[in-house]
């Protein structure tokens, strides 16, 4: 059982939640959060050390605190958070290498849990409907966060080979969504008008932020090793998601999606080639292994996690959503009026026929 | 409302026994439309992991094709009882007709006329899923990419799966080669059936060859559009959109007796010799039924 846990990326939203969740766990004696920037919220009973995992300081922390479990969540998703793509790549890749180097030297580390993403499977027309952990991507990611994570996973596998005595677990999590979290996807759905690719309807899977944290906590405490896909049950299509969020949308030809998205605002919404492919084809993953081997089943289905996000972000309260809703209710009222008219005409007709028969 | 006017007033001609009142049908139908609209607009419906949207498929996608099935091609079904009412099964059929309407007609046949109203989940080429609109509709209609993981996932979850192993070689063959089965892929469909131990139902489709008699192809245009072929028929492209109206041939879809795979040894799927042999057997079975049906049918159009 984990006693001293080190969490990287602890200053960010998910890292902070994870650190707090572990601090409440009775089996965990001590939690140390590490990040380059100070945390925005207090980490509860956890300790926080401001350290850059890109330099060997991290090794000293692991040694001095006798860390036995390392939860690596310090891979940054967007350049905005890191201050540019170059810095982001350095934190993600060099940071992971330094962390793994420190773990390899350590005699106390017994378990390594890495938060990865299902984006490493890429997205494209030749994909199977659902990816299992053993499948190779048909259209591997070419840039950004997903490519960083492909490299991170490669280094983690290398570490696993060099230190077979350390249990290594990689969680590939679907896109996070929820009432509090801000990601490229939540920004995308929050655009005043959501641009979509004409002629395609991507299949999406989400994991609720609470479920994602719980999956990482279970993985940190478990003895299961290997790669696990994590996502809420079921899928929703992009068009279905937009309608559930009550958002207005605009279908544009695929080459114009990035242009349309950027001109609609929001720095955080991502329209890189990989993300455009994802918004075109979508992706499905099989979560059977996490359920059977890790024993983790998310509380929220994909659809319910998405609804919770819509509620939490107040998406239905914006001006454009109100216009959509008003239009919809007008259509329903018109239809209901037509229905009443039809049934009264029928009543009138049948009463007349009864009179005749009588 | 026009429906409201057609209430029969002369009682005696009405057949005895209970009959749904027409007024109930009218309002019920309108209510159904409103409910359908509401669900679509608010995203309150479910799709499966393949993106299959049964409500959309039944009420929207297949509706305009039903007249084509019933009145234009007047499809005659044989051996529909050979398709099991539950559990996984693999329907394997010949492919023809320049545009793959034969697959959609088979889907309709099984949905509307099979006692268990089964949805046929087809395995399609990757070109289908690359093409805008077509790929989206194919996913919504329950179809997926022809690859081993998807085939096995569908079959082992008890779905009825349809494959057209000739692929584009079958649909895009010249009219002079009609009803001659092309090479049957690499036998992947047989391996999928063997692994999941589901029966194979060899199916022969007669009539689809004559809907667009392909007398030539324009490879440069095909290359330009990224298509496997660009058809030339007696009416297309000469008559423009009018040339896209299919000829009203009379169709027969015959489902043959199932070939059971559950008696075969456990390792059969990994034995290429056995797989290819079985694929050949299925092909031969379909070819023989095609010949038989061709002799039986009286004319192409009647």
């Amino acid at each position: 059982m984990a006693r001293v846990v080190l969490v990287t990326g602890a200053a960010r939203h998910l890292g902070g939640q994870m650190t707090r969740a572990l601090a409440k766990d009775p089996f965990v004696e001590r939690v140390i959060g590490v990040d380059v920037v100070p945390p925005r919220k207090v980490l509860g009973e956890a300790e926080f050390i401001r350290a850059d995992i890109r330099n060997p300081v991290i090794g000293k922390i692991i040694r001095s605190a006798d860390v036995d479990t390392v939860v690596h969540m310090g891979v940054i998703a967007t350049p905005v958070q890191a201050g540019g793509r170059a810095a982001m790549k350095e934190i993600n890749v060099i940071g992971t290498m330094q962390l793994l180097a420190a773990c390899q030297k350590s005699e106390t580390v017994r378990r390594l849990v890495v938060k990865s993403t299902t984006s490493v499977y890429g997205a494209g027309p030749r994909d199977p409907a659902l990816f299992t952990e053993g499948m190779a991507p048909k259209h591997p990611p070419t840039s950004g966060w997903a490519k960083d994570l492909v490299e991170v996973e490669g280094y983690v596998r290398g570490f696993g080979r060099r230190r077979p005595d350390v249990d290594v677990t990689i969680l590939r999590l679907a896109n996070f969504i929820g009432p509090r979290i801000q990601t490229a996807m939540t920004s995308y759905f929050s655009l005043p008008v959501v641009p979509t690719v004409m002629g395609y309807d991507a299949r999406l899977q989400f994991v609720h932020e609470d479920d994602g944290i719980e999956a990482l906590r279970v993985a940190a405490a478990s003895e299961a090793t290997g790669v696990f896909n994590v996502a809420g049950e079921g899928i929703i299509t992009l068009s279905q998601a937009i309608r559930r969020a009550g958002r207005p949308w605009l279908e544009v030809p695929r080459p114009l999606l990035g242009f349309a998205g950027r001109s609609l605002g929001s720095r955080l919404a991502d329209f890189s080639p990989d993300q455009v492919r994802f918004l075109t084809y979508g992706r499905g993953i099989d979560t059977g292994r996490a359920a059977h081997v890790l024993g983790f089943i998310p509380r929220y289905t994909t659809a319910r996690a998405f609804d919770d996000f819509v509620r939490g972000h107040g998406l239905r309260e914006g001006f454009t959503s109100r216009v959509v809703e008003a239009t919809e209710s007008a259509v329903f009222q018109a239809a209901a009026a037509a229905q009443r008219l039809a049934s009264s005409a029928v009543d009138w007709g049948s009463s007349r026929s009864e009179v005749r028969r009588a | 409302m026009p429906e409201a006017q057609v209430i029969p007033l002369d009682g005696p001609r009405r057949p005895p026994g209970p009959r749904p009142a027409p007024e109930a049908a009218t309002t019920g139908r309108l209510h159904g439309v409103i409910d359908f609209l509401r669900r679509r607009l608010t995203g309150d419906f479910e799709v499966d992991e393949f993106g299959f949207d049964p409500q959309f498929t039944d009420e929207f996608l297949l509706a305009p094709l039903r007249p084509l099935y019933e009145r234009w091609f007047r499809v005659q079904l044989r051996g529909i009882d050979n398709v099991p009412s539950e559990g996984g099964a693999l329907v394997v059929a010949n492919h023809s007709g320049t545009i793959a309407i034969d697959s959609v007609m088979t889907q309709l046949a099984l949905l509307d006329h099979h006692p268990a109203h089964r949805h046929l989940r087809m395995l399609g080429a990757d070109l289908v899923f690359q093409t805008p609109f077509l790929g989206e509709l194919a996913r919504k209609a329950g179809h997926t990419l022809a690859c081993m993981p998807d085939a096995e996932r569908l079959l082992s979850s008890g779905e009825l799966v349809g494959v057209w192993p000739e692929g584009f070689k079958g649909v895009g063959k010249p009219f002079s080669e009609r009803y001659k089965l092309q090479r049957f892929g690499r036998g992947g469909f047989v391996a999928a059936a063997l692994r999941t131990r589901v029966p194979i139902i060899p199916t022969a489709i007669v009539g689809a060859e004559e809907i667009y008699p392909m007398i030539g192809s324009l490879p440069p245009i095909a290359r330009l559009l990224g298509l496997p072929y660009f058809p030339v028929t007696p009416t297309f492209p000469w008559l423009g959109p009018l040339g896209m109206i299919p000829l009203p041939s009379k169709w027969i879809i015959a489902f043959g007796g199932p070939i059971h795979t559950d008696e075969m040894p456990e390792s059969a799927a990994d034995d290429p010799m056995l797989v290819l042999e079985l694929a050949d057997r299925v092909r031969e079975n379909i070819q023989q039924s095609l010949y038989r049906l061709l002799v039986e049918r009286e004319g192409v159009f009647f």
Side-chain angles (χ1 to χ4, degrees), chain B residues 36 40 51-64 66 107-108 111 119-120 137-143:
Chain B
F36 177 70
R40 300 315 298 186
F52 176 38
D53 186 341
Q55 192 191 33
F56 179 79
T57 305
D58 287 3
E59 298 187 25
F60 191 77
L61 212 55
L62 292 179
R66 287 197 169 103
Q107 183 182 13
L108 258 179
L111 182 62
H119 278 288
L120 183 67
L137 293 180
R139 280 240 171 262
K140 290 195 169 157
H143 313 317

Side-chain angles (χ1 to χ4, degrees), chain A residues 308-329:
Chain A
D308 199 30
F309 150 71
V310 170
R311 189 188 49 72
H313 282 241
L315 280 192
R316 285 185 162 275
E317 285 149 32
F319 171 72
T320 45
S321 302
R322 287 216 178 125
V323 171
V324 171
E325 239 163 64
T327 318
E328 278 175 17
S329 74

